[in-house]
Amino acid sequence: MLSALRVVDLTDHRGLLCGQILGDLGADVIHVEPPGGSPARRLGPFHGDVVHPDRSLFWWAFTRNQRSVTLDVAHPPGREALARLLETADFLVDSAPPGTLADAGLDPATVAATHPRLVHVSITAFGQTGPKAGWAGADIVLLAAGGPLILTGDADRPPVRLPVPQAWLHAGADAAVGAMIAHHARMRSGHGQHVDVSAQQSVALATQSYILAAAFDAPEVQRAAGGLTMGAVSVRLLFPAKDGHVAITFLFGSAIGPFSRRLMEWIHEEGGCDAATRDKDWLRYSQLLLSDEEPLAEFERVKAVIAAFTAARPKAELLAAALARGLLIAPVSTLGEVLASPQLAAREYWQPLDHPELGTTVRYPGAFARFEASPLRWRRRPPRVGEHTDEVLGGELGLDVATLRARGAV
Amino acid sequence: MTGGALSDVKVLDLMWVMAGPAATRMLADHGATVVRIESTRRIDTARTLAPFFDAVPGPERSGCFQNLNVGKRMLTLDPTTPAGRGVFLDLVRWADVVTESFAPGTMARWGLDWPVLRGVKPDLVMVSSCLMGQTGPLAGFAGYGNLAAAISGFSNLGGWPDRPPAGPFSAYTDYVSPRFLAVAILAALEHRRRTGEGQLVDLSQAEASLHFLGPALLDRQVNGRTMTRRGNRDPELTPHGVYPAAGRDRWIAIAVDGDAAFAALCAVLERPALAADARFATRDARHAHTDALDEAVAAATAAHDMHDLAGRLQAAGVAAHAVQNSAELLADPQLRHREHFVAVPHPERETVTLENARFRLSRTPAAVRGPAPTWGADTDWVLRTLLGYDDARITELVAAGALE
């Protein structure tokens, strides 16, 4: 869909996802790395645990469908080569801290002046301006700053993040949306523009709008493992299973209440609760709890009834029942189970890419969406450091790569 | 270009709850005309989700609903009634994009699936979003983002190794997938601009979200290693975690990258003994003694104000931030500077504070273009202005019960 468009990607581990999304859509993404390779290539895990810039699985996860060029943009010859490359580009994506690209002439104002048609996307921790614009970001720091972290974890321990860093991915995905919106505007007006992405603001989406609690004069949510606590009421969304855990949307109200009623009907059928427990008003249950018509201890007992019921059954049986009975239950899958998922297999989700340099084929996560008329294609495995320097700078731009190399620019 | 980057884009939006509305909210912020359809016979689940004004539930009081739908136009319509179907098909002819997030098969049951809509509008873009995708043995598995987060591997990873999973917060894939959904809509429109061709797009929330677990999925695939819960440990950075600060449930997140940052941390915390301790002298040594190091750092942070300490650590070059709750986010000087929160008119409350657009475009800035829609607020506008219906036609529709 974007095959006529070129992306120059200057990002490191803080912004890779944006270029990958554009590349999946067909754009020609040229990753410009410093000599020696992107800092993102130093992040593990590594293929075969061999620490090598071409074996970083972090790099692999976010750079398929891209080409790699090495350029030292700190020095004039490299900068001139980059300027030539930018003349052929439609998008420039960077993840440098605010102000740090000014020396290279790649700050937003200079880029706008020199390349007025370019869509320039900058991904930073806190945005380009403001009192914290110069603050350092890291995954856990951004999750703290943007709101999701306080909501997550066990009540009696510190807040906890996911072990796969998420914050820069939220920012990178937002950056791709911004890039597409700015491209749409360019097609109408002829003008490029700058897209300023703040990871702090991007991760705030993961608060499920509880970021508004104070503004709405509503109480703060307190974290609870696999659930949340509001006021005196603790909602539980994860339950034990015989072979692990399951997620259940055990909530109430006109929309979700009927599902909870069906769950309790099943538990009653199987002898897991009495009729009075089954027949509670699950549509109005929240109001009953809030008005003390239903004692909190009784709600705790109901959750324990459900937990005892699910703990005696394997995940697969609970999922099968969910499908057959219209219940809101899902297995809490391990990564092994995700990779073995019959659903993903049936949809041919995993996409093989050959790595001839390692004599192996790797199955990558597949298309983020199925486009009937213009399907996404996995065209290239993640590039090795500078793999396409000659092809792009020499072959396509007609630059004298040998001289650049001699001058230490590539 | 007045009215925003997407002021020429018309979206007929049947998506509901969280992921879908979050995606079309981004389009509305940038000027797209988004007409949402909601039937009073089956209200949007988001209207039942907190936070509520003054903590009192009610369909027009949900912060979740308001935050995800501000700037959209709302038509109450039951497209399953014969009269409602006619209105719906007129809106399909008006729209560039139709979006829906019902359980797979729902649109077909209503006789309003892709073949029918394409017949009405040949170059239509239709985007169907659901948990697992429109095909496959679990296509019929409908539900919310907490279920997709579980079945996609997220929920098992959050938490402590000695405890059951704590998961990421609530319906995590509902916060990941909206960006992919918005990109999918814009990419399909770009394809249509270039080729004249519309198409159907099938977005599985689970499949899109798995890209956020990429490195761990590849590690399992390539090295056979299965990532599990590990608290706040980081393979590269140490000390790394959430440490106590002064006050009840007050915490500071700190991520130390390298020897210089560790020295700066010790200096700010005034713990020269920590800096001199051989167990913590190098990155590898710190990793080998992480438990002792975490304990020492926690002891040193516990008496500090979290905001003050974060500011001093940042000034010394250490990545750190207070772990903020909603009150602190509302007061955060950076978010204020970025105008992250915006006062929006509300028919019953003068204004409400909602989130603004998350990223900034320099030439075509986003704007909230109206209040969050109350039920039926725009029914008249949609029918008269967009579809050109007259009084008689609207009276007929009301009598037929189509506008409920």
Side-chain angles (χ1 to χ4, degrees), chain B residues 200-225:
Chain B
L200 176 66
V201 181
D202 163 13
L203 186 139
S204 148
Q205 208 176 97
E207 289 174 356
S209 299
L210 280 175
H211 289 279
F212 275 41
L213 293 177
L217 291 168
L218 288 175
D219 194 27
R220 164 79 196 191
Q221 184 77 250
V222 163
N223 295 321
R225 195 163 32 220

Side-chain angles (χ1 to χ4, degrees), chain A residues 1 369-377, chain B residues 114-115 118 122 124-126 188 191 197-203:
Chain A
M1 280 165 276
R370 310 297 172 100
F371 293 79
E372 183 187 65
S374 52
L376 308 188
R377 304 267 183 230
Chain B
W114 171 237
R118 181 174 44 184
L124 184 71
V125 167
M126 180 171 178
H191 180 77
E197 183 179 41
Q199 63 179 312
L200 176 66
V201 181
D202 163 13
L203 186 139

Side-chain angles (χ1 to χ4, degrees), chain B residues 22-341:
Chain B
T24 47
R25 155 90 206 254
M26 287 191 260
L27 307 183
D29 286 344
H30 287 276
T33 303
V34 178
V35 173
R36 265 205 67 178
I37 290 184
E38 188 183 3
S39 170
T40 56
R41 297 190 176 109
R42 189 182 183 185
I43 73 162
D44 188 340
T45 308
R47 293 184 182 274
T48 70
L49 298 177
F52 299 103
F53 290 128
D54 310 318
V56 178
E60 305 288 13
R61 306 179 68 87
S62 160
C64 182
F65 179 85
Q66 310 243 341
N67 206 29
L68 298 180
N69 292 291
V70 68
K72 299 178 191 175
R73 300 290 195 155
M74 178 68 76
L75 171 68
T76 45
L77 179 76
D78 185 345
T80 66
T81 62
R85 180 186 175 86
V87 179
F88 183 80
L89 293 177
D90 279 349
L91 280 166
V92 171
R93 289 182 194 98
W94 163 83
D96 300 299
V97 187
V98 173
T99 58
E100 63 92 11
S101 64
F102 297 113
T106 304
M107 296 293 283
R109 210 165 55 242
W110 293 343
L112 293 172
D113 56 349
W114 171 237
V116 175
L117 302 194
R118 181 174 44 184
V120 170
K121 172 110 177 187
D123 67 345
L124 184 71
V125 167
M126 180 171 178
V127 180
S128 288
S129 168
C130 64
L131 284 196
M132 305 305 294
Q134 299 294 316
T135 59
L138 290 183
F141 182 65
Y144 300 98
N146 70 311
L147 303 183
I151 204 167
S152 318
F154 288 94
S155 304
N156 193 47
L157 292 176
W160 303 91
D162 61 330
R163 292 271 181 93
F169 183 64
S170 195
Y172 191 66
T173 55
D174 278 327
Y175 330 137
V176 171
S177 62
R179 290 63 173 258
F180 291 103
L181 197 42
V183 163
I185 293 167
L186 292 164
L189 284 174
E190 169 70 6
H191 180 77
R192 191 185 72 164
R193 188 188 64 76
R194 287 179 51 222
T195 66
E197 183 179 41
Q199 63 179 312
L200 176 66
V201 181
D202 163 13
L203 186 139
S204 148
Q205 208 176 97
E207 289 174 356
S209 299
L210 280 175
H211 289 279
F212 275 41
L213 293 177
L217 291 168
L218 288 175
D219 194 27
R220 164 79 196 191
Q221 184 77 250
V222 163
N223 295 321
R225 195 163 32 220
T226 307
M227 181 173 275
T228 52
R229 295 184 287 286
R230 61 175 183 214
N232 286 322
R233 289 280 165 83
D234 188 274
E236 315 284 337
L237 312 177
T238 181
H240 179 280
V242 176
Y243 302 93
R248 193 184 152 273
D249 205 30
R250 291 288 180 272
W251 307 92
I252 181 168
I254 300 173
V256 172
D257 189 0
D259 293 340
F262 181 62
L265 172 75
C266 297
V268 171
L269 292 174
E270 296 175 1
R271 288 291 195 278
L274 216 51
D277 195 320
R279 290 176 301 165
F280 311 135
T282 65
R283 199 190 85 143
D284 288 348
R286 288 192 292 276
H287 272 293
H289 300 99
T290 300
D291 285 338
L293 181 57
D294 275 343
E295 206 173 299
V297 172
T301 59
H304 289 277
D305 173 81
M306 61 178 184
H307 294 293
D308 173 67
L309 181 58
R312 288 189 292 125
L313 286 170
Q314 285 282 358
V318 180
H321 204 283
V323 182
Q324 306 202 98
N325 64 18
S326 78
E328 287 142 5
L329 286 153
L330 193 59
D332 182 345
Q334 180 66 17
L335 292 178
R336 282 183 178 254
H337 172 87
R338 302 279 296 178
E339 298 175 330
H340 184 79
F341 296 97

